[in-house]
Amino acid sequence: MTNLPKIGKPATNALNTINITTLEQVAQLDEHNLAKLHGMGPKAIGILKEALLEQGLSFSQLDEDLKNVKFTVLGDLKCDNAPKRRIIRDIVIASIVGDEKCLTEWLTDDLV
Protein backbone atom coordinates (compact mmCIF):
# COMPACT_ATOMS: atom_id res chain seq x y z
CA MET A 1 0.00 0.00 0.00
CA THR A 2 1.25 3.43 -0.96
CA ASN A 3 1.13 6.24 1.60
CA LEU A 4 -0.64 9.47 0.79
CA PRO A 5 1.51 12.35 -0.47
CA LYS A 6 1.74 15.60 1.49
CA ILE A 7 -1.49 17.39 0.58
CA GLY A 8 -1.93 19.68 3.58
CA LYS A 9 -3.63 19.15 6.89
CA PRO A 10 -7.21 20.09 5.86
CA ALA A 11 -7.16 17.70 2.88
CA THR A 12 -5.50 14.94 4.90
CA ASN A 13 -8.13 15.36 7.63
CA ALA A 14 -10.88 15.19 5.00
CA LEU A 15 -9.54 11.84 3.79
CA ASN A 16 -9.02 10.55 7.33
CA THR A 17 -12.65 11.39 8.10
CA ILE A 18 -13.74 8.83 5.50
CA ASN A 19 -10.99 6.35 6.49
CA ILE A 20 -8.83 6.89 3.39
CA THR A 21 -5.15 6.43 4.22
CA THR A 22 -3.54 5.07 1.02
CA LEU A 23 -3.33 6.01 -2.65
CA GLU A 24 -5.00 2.72 -3.55
CA GLN A 25 -8.03 3.81 -1.54
CA VAL A 26 -7.97 7.25 -3.18
CA ALA A 27 -8.10 5.52 -6.57
CA GLN A 28 -11.48 4.07 -5.59
CA LEU A 29 -12.90 7.61 -5.28
CA ASP A 30 -13.99 9.84 -8.11
CA GLU A 31 -12.56 13.33 -8.46
CA HIS A 32 -16.01 14.96 -8.63
CA ASN A 33 -17.14 13.73 -5.19
CA LEU A 34 -13.69 14.03 -3.66
CA ALA A 35 -13.81 17.75 -4.40
CA LYS A 36 -16.98 18.00 -2.27
CA LEU A 37 -15.14 17.03 0.91
CA HIS A 38 -14.60 19.91 3.33
CA GLY A 39 -10.89 20.74 3.22
CA MET A 40 -10.22 19.14 -0.15
CA GLY A 41 -9.18 21.83 -2.61
CA PRO A 42 -7.94 21.89 -6.20
CA LYS A 43 -4.27 21.90 -5.13
CA ALA A 44 -4.67 18.74 -3.03
CA ILE A 45 -6.62 17.03 -5.81
CA GLY A 46 -3.86 17.93 -8.27
CA ILE A 47 -1.19 16.47 -5.97
CA LEU A 48 -3.25 13.30 -5.51
CA LYS A 49 -3.82 12.99 -9.26
CA GLU A 50 -0.08 13.29 -9.92
CA ALA A 51 0.75 10.75 -7.20
CA LEU A 52 -1.83 8.34 -8.62
CA LEU A 53 -0.33 8.65 -12.10
CA GLU A 54 3.16 7.94 -10.74
CA GLN A 55 1.81 4.67 -9.32
CA GLY A 56 -0.07 3.77 -12.52
CA LEU A 57 -3.39 4.57 -10.87
CA SER A 58 -6.14 7.13 -11.45
CA PHE A 59 -9.31 8.39 -9.87
CA SER A 60 -12.40 6.27 -10.37
CA GLN A 61 -14.50 7.42 -13.32
CA LEU A 62 -17.83 8.75 -12.09
CA ASP A 63 -20.84 7.27 -13.85
CA GLU A 64 -22.24 10.01 -16.12
CA ASP A 65 -25.76 9.52 -14.71
CA LEU A 66 -24.55 10.34 -11.19
CA LYS A 67 -22.98 13.70 -12.10
CA ASN A 68 -26.35 15.42 -11.65
CA VAL A 69 -26.87 14.07 -8.13
CA LYS A 70 -26.88 17.04 -5.76
CA PHE A 71 -25.53 15.15 -2.74
CA THR A 72 -22.83 12.68 -1.88
CA VAL A 73 -23.03 9.65 0.37
CA LEU A 74 -19.75 9.03 2.16
CA GLY A 75 -19.10 6.44 4.78
CA ASP A 76 -18.16 2.88 5.43
CA LEU A 77 -20.74 0.94 3.42
CA LYS A 78 -19.50 -2.26 5.03
CA CYS A 79 -20.30 -1.04 8.54
CA ASP A 80 -23.24 -3.04 9.84
CA ASN A 81 -23.16 -2.10 13.52
CA ALA A 82 -26.00 0.43 13.49
CA PRO A 83 -29.25 -0.96 12.02
CA LYS A 84 -30.89 2.46 11.60
CA ARG A 85 -27.82 3.82 9.82
CA ARG A 86 -27.82 0.76 7.54
CA ILE A 87 -31.50 1.29 6.71
CA ILE A 88 -30.96 4.97 5.87
CA ARG A 89 -27.90 4.05 3.78
CA ASP A 90 -29.89 1.44 1.88
CA ILE A 91 -32.78 3.85 1.25
CA VAL A 92 -30.44 6.55 -0.06
CA ILE A 93 -28.63 4.14 -2.36
CA ALA A 94 -31.91 2.61 -3.55
CA SER A 95 -33.18 6.10 -4.36
CA ILE A 96 -30.13 6.86 -6.48
CA VAL A 97 -30.12 3.58 -8.41
CA GLY A 98 -33.92 3.35 -8.68
CA ASP A 99 -34.39 0.16 -6.68
CA GLU A 100 -38.18 0.30 -6.29
CA LYS A 101 -38.36 -3.03 -4.44
CA CYS A 102 -36.12 -1.75 -1.64
CA LEU A 103 -37.92 1.57 -1.49
CA THR A 104 -41.39 0.04 -1.22
CA GLU A 105 -40.11 -2.30 1.48
CA TRP A 106 -38.94 0.56 3.71
CA LEU A 107 -40.99 3.59 2.67
CA THR A 108 -44.45 2.65 3.91
CA ASP A 109 -47.34 4.82 5.06
CA ASP A 110 -46.37 4.31 8.70
CA LEU A 111 -42.76 5.51 8.23
CA VAL A 112 -41.74 8.00 10.93
Side-chain angles (χ1 to χ4, degrees):
M1 293 284 176
T2 309
N3 290 334
L4 293 173
K6 294 184 186 236
I7 55 175
K9 191 168 185 167
T12 300
N13 288 341
L15 291 177
N16 287 337
T17 299
I18 59 170
N19 298 317
I20 301 296
T21 58
T22 68
L23 272 179
E24 289 79 8
Q25 292 171 320
V26 171
Q28 296 174 6
L29 303 172
D30 64 86
E31 189 174 347
H32 176 77
N33 284 314
L34 185 62
K36 293 180 181 180
L37 292 176
H38 179 72
M40 186 61 64
K43 183 176 180 180
I45 290 176
I47 293 169
L48 288 169
K49 188 183 288 189
E50 186 176 311
L52 288 167
L53 286 173
E54 289 174 4
Q55 297 297 317
L57 300 169
S58 64
F59 287 116
S60 173
Q61 296 303 307
L62 179 65
D63 184 345
E64 289 298 318
D65 294 337
L66 295 179
K67 280 191 176 176
N68 295 322
V69 174
K70 300 296 183 211
F71 61 91
T72 302
V73 178
L74 298 172
D76 184 359
L77 296 180
K78 296 175 187 162
C79 177
D80 218 13
N81 295 339
K84 290 178 185 175
R85 182 181 293 171
R86 183 182 66 242
I87 292 167
I88 296 299
R89 176 203 66 197
D90 291 347
I91 290 171
V92 170
I93 292 170
S95 298
I96 293 170
V97 300
D99 183 349
E100 291 183 31
K101 181 181 177 191
C102 177
L103 291 173
T104 55
E105 177 183 337
W106 289 110
L107 301 179
T108 60
D109 291 336
D110 62 342
L111 176 70
V112 178

